Amino acid sequence: QVQLVESGGGLVQAGDSLRLSCVASGRIFSRRNLGWFRQAPGKDREFVAAITWSDYSSYYAESVKGRFTISRDNAKNTVYLTMNSLKPEDTAVYYCAGFTGSDYYTPSDYGYWGQGTQVTVSS
């Protein structure tokens, strides 16, 4: 069983930076593609970024490209989301997820989810 635990969220001002961490338990972490999603109140869960396990290829939503960076440390079973130049519209609960499907951008293609960490960006 894979368990994912996010941390690093908080309240920041527009323009600030945050780094989210997600520690995964389970021996399959090192061979699993991972992603970050977010969900704002009243909105659907949306793709933010994904990273492969084999060559560390990364994928981003257009809304965060150039501001967010996904990375992973397989030795620590940890995936990170570094968020720069934060905007109020980035406010959401951020979830780490383990990929089990075929489309990185689709929430239903992820079979493992963390509990989420709140990020709030004030203007």
Side-chain angles (χ1 to χ4, degrees):
Q1 176 113 14
V2 173
Q3 293 182 333
L4 304 166
V5 180
E6 304 96 334
S7 62
L11 171 63
V12 297
Q13 293 187 330
D16 285 351
S17 299
L18 273 178
R19 189 177 79 160
L20 306 183
S21 300
C22 172
V23 179
S25 64
R27 55 187 171 86
I28 61 176
F29 168 88
S30 64
R31 293 181 178 273
R32 186 171 299 283
N33 302 332
L34 298 168
W36 284 97
F37 284 76
R38 66 187 182 186
Q39 188 166 19
K43 294 188 177 181
D44 292 336
R45 192 166 296 190
E46 66 171 356
F47 172 80
V48 175
I51 187 167
T52 64
W53 74 267
S54 55
D55 61 1
Y56 291 24
S57 294
S58 56
Y59 305 85
Y60 296 94
E62 285 297 322
S63 59
V64 306
K65 214 173 270 188
R67 299 188 299 123
F68 291 11
T69 302
I70 189 171
S71 59
R72 65 189 293 165
D73 185 339
N74 285 349
K76 296 182 178 179
N77 282 7
T78 302
V79 61
Y80 303 97
L81 185 69
T82 302
M83 306 184 294
N84 297 321
S85 302
L86 282 162
K87 304 176 181 180
E89 51 263 44
D90 294 319
T91 295
V93 177
Y94 283 71
Y95 297 91
C96 173
F99 186 69
T100 54
S102 58
D103 182 357
Y104 293 130
Y105 301 88
T106 302
S108 60
D109 277 19
Y110 291 75
Y112 305 100
W113 292 87
Q115 83 290 348
T117 186
Q118 177 71 47
V119 172
T120 303
V121 185
S122 64
S123 56

